Amino acid sequence: MWLKPDEILLKNAFKLWVTEEDNEYFVLQRRRGYGEGGGGLTGLLVGTLDTVLDSTSKVAPYRILHHTPDSQVYWSIACGVTKEEISQHWDWLQQNIMRTLSVFDSSEDITSFVQGKIRGLIAEEGKASLVLEEDPEKFREALLRFEKWFELPPKEKLVTYYSCSYWRGKVPCQGWLYLSTNFLCFYSYLLGAEVKLIISWDEMWRLEKTSNVILTESIHVLANGEDHYFSMLLHLNETFVIMEQLADYSIKRLFDKEAFQREPALSDPLQITKRGLEAHAKSEQFRTFFRLPREENLLEVHETFLWVPFSHFNTLGKICLSENYLCFASQDGSQCHIIIPMREVVNVEKPDCSSRALTVSVRGKRALRFSEVRDYQRLANTIRSRCGISASPQHSASAEVIRGECQSLINHFEDNPEDVTLMVGQKDSSKAVSTEALMTVFHPQDVENLDPKMLKEKMKEQSWNIHFSEYGRGTSMFFTRKTRDLIVRGVPEALRGELWMLFSGAVNDMATHPGYYTDLVEQSLGTSTLATDEIERDLHRSLPEHPAFQSDTGISALRRVLTAYAYRNPKIGYCQAMNILTSVLLLYAKEEEAFWLLVAVCERMLPDYFNRRIIGALVDQAVFEDLIRENLPQLVEHMTDLSFFSSVSLSWFLTLFISVLPIESAVNVVDCFFYDGIKAILQLGLAVLDYNMEALISCHDDAEAVTILNKFFDSVTNKDSPLPPTVQQASVGNNDKSSHFNVDISELIREAYEKYGNIRSEEVESSRKRNKLYVIQTLEDTTKQNVIRVVTQEVRFSASHLDGLYNLFKRQHFLCCYWTMNSPALLHHDPSLAYLEQYQLGFQQFSVLFSLLEPWAFCNPKSTLSLWVFRLIDENQDGLVNFKEFCCSLDTLYSGSFTNKLKFLFKLHLPPAFDLPEDGVIRKSPERGRGKVDLQAYLKQWQNEILKKEETIKDLPRINQSQFIQFSKTLYNIFHGDPEEESLYRAVAHVTSLLLRMEEVGRKLQEPSSPPPPTKPADSGAAADSTAAEEASTSPESSDTSSSNASQDAAPDLTEMEWSFSFEQVLASLLNEPTIVSFFDRPVDVQTKLNQARHAQLKLKANK
């Protein structure tokens, strides 16, 4: 490998290097302790030194130096892993450089020429991906060590590497940590003791930062039941973030495709870089904080001061710029932030160059003044270009006129909504979409008769109006502590829909997708899927006590929103609890707004909640358990098993407390959720447990604890709710329990914020990532246990052997997914399918794994025989083999009787295994999805499996001539390399001849009585039989031929003499050969096979 010329002092290194060849300008050296005469104490010391210092010499112990006769300075220009590699570089220098150097007069010119030539060679052979790395030269050397040490497939992309210590028990091993797209690797070499560790990200259960007495701060990894600790990292936080990103990336790509498909930035595993991961992490944090669409990416960050008009001072913070949004967040603890969509910006000015300030004008006659922006000129130009604003004053003025005209049109359409249909040209069917919140239809406010509750409601509205006048209203409103205080006190009924849209970011989604919902409603109208069936079933279970959902108006609106969303996102489709949430959204928001609120909740605020496995809710349950341990130690002491709270809190998270609280109280919780996200739900959950602490500690079982919590939720009221008794849920029940102490929801929420408001959103997100690994691996482990339980009934493997086989099967499934996004295995993997069908192998994957595990080494991955085995065990012929089918075939070959093993080999040479399409291509498996399920087909398949009879040897068809010839060749393949190979070959030849003679005698006996045939034809018939016997007794080298070739070879001149054998004949003949019987009866060491396969699995992929 050519190296960037690097100056070295040879006098300090002469003891570590031995000169092999030299000339006037170049020196070829070998590292002491390597190659001939290597080893011993010198080799141990040099190897240890190379590993600790991260020297390339550890994996490339040869090098070439350049020097000039009149200089003491040497330049390293090449290194090599082997003598052959370095010799090629040496020969190239001799042939292409040495002759040219003689024309130069000075040594400086010679050195400059050599350095330029070497840099040119590096540029030519350099990989394109290295351009993205921060230090391509050093990264290139690290990549060489990574590839040499770990022997992973060439496509495996190294992301970054760090020096660290790996703890083996209580002993640290100093070495290097390599993080690649699919693996965490560590290498250490100390005084002859080599430590090599390879862990795939998809095997990890835990990834967290820890500290104890011995390790002040370290990274803990739990994988395959083993704990691994890495410490002494110079940049521990940076390392942990990269590891967290890679683990999350792997989990999403391999287990959670629904989430991964929303990550286009990381779609190609071969292009992942450290810089890209860091940028992705920052963009993710940026989108989460400002509630922006997932298409937005953080492009620029500028430190600045923003003039805050309501406080009359400049607040320090950062401008965060994305494709379509300008955001600001303070850093001085004032918790002030603002989101400005680029579509709202009308002008950008630079009023004061001395203070490096710029003013951003937005609609509504508002302006934001940023000062002390270091690169204010470029920022102003960037904002102008993204908003389509010219720096020219005349253009700015004309743009302002156009915007003014647009604003007047918008105002006109707001006053005359009937004109919108004429302007846009909407279809008549779109008029079915409701344009009013259901609460305004079914509970209109009586302006004339104001009771005390309504008066208080009006006072709340007045407080918000004052807030709007100071902090702005709409998309450019300032978010401050005061905003949160107003939220905690309760949002007025009239403003709830507007504020939910604003806080969730749904207002931006709707503004950038005009007409999208109407189109979805029209497209999804009349569709019939599994999701629509489930929606119809749950429509009348959604807030059935509310008048809005006792009428067709509310039910129809709910049906349209849920069906439109299922049509938009078929991966989620419809999940229980979505109906309850959507019902509440429809009460306070218009139908289209409710749709976009549902999008914000399902795809941003509660990721992975609403799918078949509700992974997001399970993750947040684990986060909740961590918070209970941290904040409620008394409860933890009494109830060591916190899984009870996980089961109880599931409905809290899935429905945002709507299913357990009265509706008039639950909406206050939803207010807080849209402002603070999941943090608000976690805080309230802690407050509920804290409020009932004494009662929970004194209870004796889970049932009693559930009763206590249910009674508490029934007692929660909203004393300020203006809703009438017909709408309220709590009023009816509480009249009968006047003696029971009631809890006001506003007080409960205020208490939650006071006691647990210090929980930071960043900590919650970090805990989510940490727990997601454990939750998904737990689900995967449950799948494995269920599969093993089913398969155990069919095979003779022990549970531990099945566990090892399953791990190999699953890893083989993933191996084809590691380096591509178009893998059929990824497309077929669906966690919602039955356990056995979640992981299946196509032919290419199967052939590799089967060749590692089959007991006789007769079936290499590229042989036609692999295809026959695959076709034989693929019972439903869908082009995929599941774990049960795979295990049953191995069980027959490992533990089956002689008869069963022979039957398996016999059936390999019968249709459908033997008769292949001419092109040898296996037809594709049917598309899988969540469409309508054909239950009748499933029931019929189940019935056929129950009624399926045990196959007897008499049921097998006869094997014809070409099939028998190939069967004989297969036997030769099996016996090849065995210590008793010659005697086995003779036994097969003897059986073949015996069978042919038996067939000839049988044919003669079946012929009708007639004069004896002439001698010549008889001789020709005997000659034909002997030819067939020779064909069947062919050498192993020629045995791997296709069936079509075999039949063509055997076909000539035998049309009148076709012969065939039954399985009983073949079995009886082979039973007479003790050598063959003893060969097939030999026991197989299953554990040894599994261990060998586990170590060879990755290397086989690397060598392909």
Side-chain angles (χ1 to χ4, degrees), residues 356-375:
R356 294 179 297 181
L358 59 94
T359 302
V360 179
S361 303
V362 297
R363 289 178 187 169
K365 298 181 179 179
R366 294 184 61 210
L368 301 170
R369 187 177 186 275
F370 300 98
S371 59
E372 299 300 329
V373 184
R374 179 174 296 178
D375 202 352

Side-chain angles (χ1 to χ4, degrees), residues 313-367:
F313 68 87
N314 284 315
T315 181
L316 175 66
K318 289 184 178 179
I319 293 175
C320 301
L321 200 66
S322 71
E323 290 86 347
N324 299 297
Y325 295 89
L326 171 68
C327 305
F328 173 86
S330 67
Q331 291 181 285
D332 58 2
S334 62
Q335 298 179 1
C336 165
H337 70 273
I338 186 170
I339 304 163
I340 307 169
M342 294 294 188
R343 64 181 184 273
E344 298 288 327
V345 177
V346 295
N347 198 15
V348 180
E349 299 174 352
K350 296 173 289 182
D352 186 5
C353 296
S354 61
S355 61
R356 294 179 297 181
L358 59 94
T359 302
V360 179
S361 303
V362 297
R363 289 178 187 169
K365 298 181 179 179
R366 294 184 61 210

Side-chain angles (χ1 to χ4, degrees), residues 179 253 267 294 297 314 323 430 433 449-450 460 489 509 517 541 604 651 654 672 711 759 810 903 931 1072 1080 1085:
L179 307 179
R253 185 161 64 93
S267 58
R294 60 174 179 260
N297 295 293
N314 284 315
E323 290 86 347
S430 66
V433 175
N449 300 319
L450 295 179
K460 281 185 183 178
R489 278 184 250 162
D509 291 327
Y517 174 66
R541 303 176 186 173
R604 286 201 303 272
S651 62
L654 279 174
C672 299
K711 284 184 178 179
I759 297 172
K810 182 177 172 182
K903 186 167 73 172
N1072 287 323
F1080 281 108
D1085 188 343

Side-chain angles (χ1 to χ4, degrees), residues 869-1097:
V869 175
F870 182 82
R871 291 292 298 272
L872 176 63
I873 67 177
D874 180 17
E875 294 179 359
N876 57 357
Q877 297 185 354
D878 64 347
L880 295 169
V881 168
N882 64 35
F883 183 66
K884 180 181 174 182
E885 294 167 337
F886 184 77
C887 283
C888 288
S889 63
L890 278 183
D891 182 60
T892 300
L893 297 179
Y894 279 24
S895 309
S897 63
F898 176 75
T899 303
N900 285 336
K901 289 177 182 177
L902 193 63
K903 186 167 73 172
F904 183 88
L905 295 173
F906 188 85
K907 289 170 68 176
L908 284 182
H909 303 84
L910 296 172
F914 191 72
D915 291 342
L916 298 176
E918 291 183 4
D919 55 2
V921 176
I922 300 174
R923 62 178 176 275
K924 287 184 178 179
S925 63
E927 290 295 322
R928 300 175 184 274
R930 289 190 187 153
K932 228 168 164 48
V933 179
D934 189 350
L935 296 177
Q936 292 294 332
Y938 269 110
L939 290 172
K940 188 174 181 181
Q941 181 182 350
W942 185 38
Q943 185 180 18
N944 291 338
E945 287 180 359
I946 293 174
L947 298 176
K948 189 167 65 176
K949 296 179 180 178
E950 184 70 27
E951 185 182 54
T952 64
I953 58 176
K954 293 183 178 180
D955 297 328
L956 293 173
R958 296 174 70 84
I959 191 168
N960 65 29
Q961 181 176 313
S962 61
Q963 293 166 351
F964 179 74
I965 292 172
Q966 191 59 50
F967 174 76
S968 301
K969 292 177 179 179
T970 300
L971 289 178
Y972 282 124
N973 275 339
I974 291 174
F975 301 147
H976 181 61
D978 190 84
E980 299 181 9
E981 181 178 354
E982 291 186 13
S983 58
L984 288 167
Y985 281 175
R986 283 197 299 272
V988 173
H990 181 263
V991 167
T992 304
S993 301
L994 178 63
L995 285 169
L996 289 171
R997 286 196 296 270
M998 287 170 57
E999 178 63 20
E1000 183 183 357
V1001 171
R1003 194 183 321 117
K1004 288 180 178 179
L1005 290 174
Q1006 290 177 359
E1007 289 176 357
S1009 55
S1010 59
T1015 306
K1016 192 171 182 179
D1019 292 343
S1020 65
D1025 284 347
S1026 63
T1027 302
E1030 290 175 7
E1031 183 85 27
S1033 303
T1034 184
S1035 63
E1037 287 74 25
S1038 62
S1039 62
D1040 192 12
T1041 56
S1042 67
S1043 60
S1044 58
N1045 291 338
S1047 60
Q1048 288 172 5
D1049 293 342
D1053 301 323
L1054 294 175
T1055 52
E1056 297 180 358
M1057 307 226 176
E1058 280 294 333
W1059 40 264
S1060 62
F1061 302 119
S1062 67
F1063 177 72
E1064 294 99 315
Q1065 289 176 301
V1066 176
L1067 176 63
S1069 302
L1070 288 172
L1071 281 172
N1072 287 323
E1073 298 294 336
T1075 313
I1076 294 178
V1077 174
S1078 63
F1079 174 86
F1080 281 108
D1081 284 343
R1082 286 179 198 163
V1084 179
D1085 188 343
V1086 180
Q1087 192 58 51
T1088 302
K1089 271 285 181 185
L1090 293 177
N1091 293 337
Q1092 291 172 348
R1094 187 163 54 249
H1095 289 107
Q1097 203 171 26

Side-chain angles (χ1 to χ4, degrees), residues 780-792 803 806:
E780 289 294 311
D781 193 59
T782 302
T783 299
K784 178 171 74 172
Q785 297 305 325
N786 283 302
V787 169
I788 290 176
R789 189 175 66 248
V790 171
V791 176
T792 302
D803 188 273
Y806 185 89

Side-chain angles (χ1 to χ4, degrees), residues 92-360:
W92 187 89
L93 290 171
Q94 296 282 3
Q95 297 168 13
N96 297 280
I97 300 294
M98 286 297 294
R99 296 176 185 174
T100 310
L101 296 182
S102 60
V103 303
F104 293 100
D105 296 329
S106 66
S107 59
E108 289 81 3
D109 292 341
I110 291 174
T111 301
S112 297
F113 175 77
V114 171
Q115 290 180 356
K117 199 69 177 174
I118 298 302
R119 288 192 177 97
L121 291 172
I122 292 173
E124 288 179 13
E125 70 175 18
K127 297 179 182 177
S129 59
L130 296 181
V131 177
L132 302 174
E133 306 301 336
E134 294 177 358
D135 190 344
E137 236 3 90
K138 282 190 174 295
F139 193 86
R140 198 159 160 268
E141 296 178 19
L143 183 61
L144 173 68
R145 294 190 293 273
F146 174 73
E147 291 173 346
K148 176 69 176 177
W149 282 337
F150 303 108
E151 299 179 320
L152 293 171
K155 286 186 176 180
E156 181 61 17
K157 177 72 173 63
L158 177 64
V159 176
T160 188
Y161 58 99
Y162 299 95
S163 172
C164 73
S165 290
Y166 168 63
W167 290 78
R168 301 183 72 187
K170 296 183 179 179
V171 180
C173 302
Q174 183 64 33
W176 289 86
L177 180 69
Y178 293 85
L179 307 179
S180 66
T181 309
N182 299 294
F183 300 96
L184 176 152
C185 304
F186 176 83
Y187 184 86
S188 172
Y189 182 88
L190 293 172
L191 299 178
E194 186 180 57
V195 178
K196 192 183 294 186
L197 181 71
I198 302 176
I199 303 172
S200 60
W201 299 110
D202 56 82
E203 294 173 342
M204 288 189 186
W205 284 65
R206 288 283 187 194
L207 176 62
E208 56 194 352
K209 287 189 287 188
T210 60
S211 60
N212 54 40
V213 178
I214 300 175
L215 305 175
T216 52
E217 200 170 15
S218 63
I219 296 175
H220 170 224
V221 174
L222 173 61
N224 296 320
E226 297 181 3
D227 292 295
H228 307 276
Y229 292 91
F230 302 92
S231 66
M232 304 294 288
L233 285 147
L234 187 61
H235 305 288
L236 188 135
N237 288 329
E238 175 193 300
T239 309
F240 180 74
V241 168
I242 295 294
M243 292 172 72
E244 198 175 52
Q245 286 283 309
L246 285 169
D248 187 56
Y249 168 75
S250 181
I251 288 293
K252 285 180 178 177
R253 185 161 64 93
L254 301 175
F255 296 114
D256 190 19
K257 296 193 298 299
E258 294 168 10
F260 180 72
Q261 289 168 356
R262 304 194 294 265
E263 305 284 358
L266 299 178
S267 58
D268 188 355
L270 302 181
Q271 299 299 322
I272 302 297
T273 63
K274 176 185 172 185
R275 189 182 303 171
L277 286 171
E278 289 173 342
H280 180 263
K282 290 176 181 176
S283 293
E284 196 172 37
Q285 189 177 8
F286 164 70
R287 288 191 297 266
T288 302
F289 183 83
F290 292 107
R291 305 279 168 76
L292 298 179
R294 60 174 179 260
E295 295 82 11
E296 298 300 313
N297 295 293
L298 181 61
L299 303 178
E300 296 180 21
V301 178
H302 300 267
E303 196 168 89
T304 183
F305 286 90
L306 171 63
W307 173 254
V308 185
F310 50 84
S311 299
H312 303 290
F313 68 87
N314 284 315
T315 181
L316 175 66
K318 289 184 178 179
I319 293 175
C320 301
L321 200 66
S322 71
E323 290 86 347
N324 299 297
Y325 295 89
L326 171 68
C327 305
F328 173 86
S330 67
Q331 291 181 285
D332 58 2
S334 62
Q335 298 179 1
C336 165
H337 70 273
I338 186 170
I339 304 163
I340 307 169
M342 294 294 188
R343 64 181 184 273
E344 298 288 327
V345 177
V346 295
N347 198 15
V348 180
E349 299 174 352
K350 296 173 289 182
D352 186 5
C353 296
S354 61
S355 61
R356 294 179 297 181
L358 59 94
T359 302
V360 179

Side-chain angles (χ1 to χ4, degrees), residues 850-864:
F850 189 77
S851 67
L852 291 173
L853 290 170
E854 53 93 6
W856 305 311
F858 72 101
C859 197
N860 68 67
K862 296 182 180 179
S863 70
T864 313

